């Protein structure tokens, strides 16, 4: 009887695993891959995806921090998004966070570089099922706020 129950349990577990959807493998163009490897030669274990406009997004971790690089359909780099430490923010941004948000616990900080070379920073704290926080320019001046569901990365920071 134990063998029959074991076989039934094994059959059910194999069936459940077999029914799991397989993540679609993204085919990255050689030119996009070359562009990415030229810009970030030390990136390892890169996961590729595509956004709604067809741009390739390379995601990898470096020193325990997430990195996202976007390359458009013409194989041009369009932006980079890096998780950073609070200490990597401009001093003015740190001062504003400490002054205005002294009762909030920030969970992650980002540095965003767009296709024009403009640099922005974002500081995120959790509020229920949402993540929100101020967006700063390269000098640390707050100019906007961001909000998105918990677990989603910033899609556009400006």
């Amino acid at each position: 009887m134990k063998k029959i129950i074991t076989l039934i349990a094994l059959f059910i577990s194999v069936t459940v695993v077999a029914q799991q959807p397989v993540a679609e493998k993204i085919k990255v163009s050689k030119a996009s891959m070359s562009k990415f490897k030229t810009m970030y030669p030390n990136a390892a274990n890169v996961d590729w995806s595509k956004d709604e406009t067809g741009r390739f997004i390379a995601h990898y971790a470096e020193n325990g921090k997430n990195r996202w690089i976007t390359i458009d359909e013409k194989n041009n780099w369009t932006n980079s998004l890096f998780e950073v430490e609070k200490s990597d923010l401009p001093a003015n941004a740190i001062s504003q966070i400490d002054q205005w948000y002294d009762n909030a616990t920030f969970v992650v900080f980002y540095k965003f570089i767009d296709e024009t070379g403009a640099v922005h920073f974002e500081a995120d704290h959790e509020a229920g099922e949402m993540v929100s926080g101020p967006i700063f320019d390269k000098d640390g001046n707050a100019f906007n706020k961001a909000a998105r569901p918990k677990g989603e990365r910033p899609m556009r920071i400006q």
Side-chain angles (χ1 to χ4, degrees):
M1 186 65 167
K2 285 184 181 180
K3 288 182 182 180
I4 292 172
I5 292 173
T6 302
L7 286 172
I8 291 171
L10 180 62
F11 176 74
I12 291 171
S13 64
V14 168
T15 304
V16 168
V17 170
Q19 292 177 358
Q20 297 296 321
V22 176
E24 185 179 328
K25 184 79 172 167
I26 301 295
K27 292 185 180 185
V28 181
S29 71
K30 288 182 182 179
S32 292
M33 186 70 74
S34 176
K35 172 68 105 177
F36 174 76
K37 287 184 177 184
T38 298
M39 293 180 72
Y40 301 95
N42 298 324
N45 301 319
V46 180
D47 291 320
W48 290 89
S49 60
K50 273 189 167 182
D51 70 8
E52 65 281 350
T53 64
R55 297 179 302 180
F56 292 111
I57 301 170
H59 171 251
Y60 65 100
E62 183 176 75
N63 300 322
K65 300 287 186 190
N66 286 305
R67 310 290 192 226
W68 293 273
I69 313 306
T70 305
I71 299 174
D72 70 14
E73 65 282 349
K74 294 179 183 174
N75 305 309
N76 295 312
W77 168 87
T78 60
N79 62 66
S80 297
L81 176 67
F82 306 114
E83 280 186 0
V84 296
E85 296 292 330
K86 181 179 178 182
S87 60
D88 295 322
L89 272 60
N92 195 32
I94 294 170
S95 175
Q96 290 175 58
I97 289 170
D98 291 344
Q99 179 181 359
W100 298 340
Y101 297 92
D102 61 345
N103 61 346
T105 301
F106 286 85
V107 293
V108 66
F109 302 92
Y110 295 102
K111 177 180 181 179
F112 180 77
I113 307 168
D114 72 13
E115 62 215 9
T116 67
V119 176
H120 297 95
F121 297 90
E122 183 176 330
D124 288 346
H125 61 88
E126 293 180 2
E129 291 301 313
M130 297 295 286
V131 175
S132 64
I135 299 174
F136 303 95
D137 65 16
K138 67 178 176 43
D139 298 319
N141 298 309
F143 70 92
N144 205 344
K145 288 187 177 183
R148 67 185 165 284
K150 193 185 303 185
E152 289 186 12
R153 72 177 176 90
M155 298 302 286
R156 280 189 73 190
I157 208 157
Q158 31 180 19

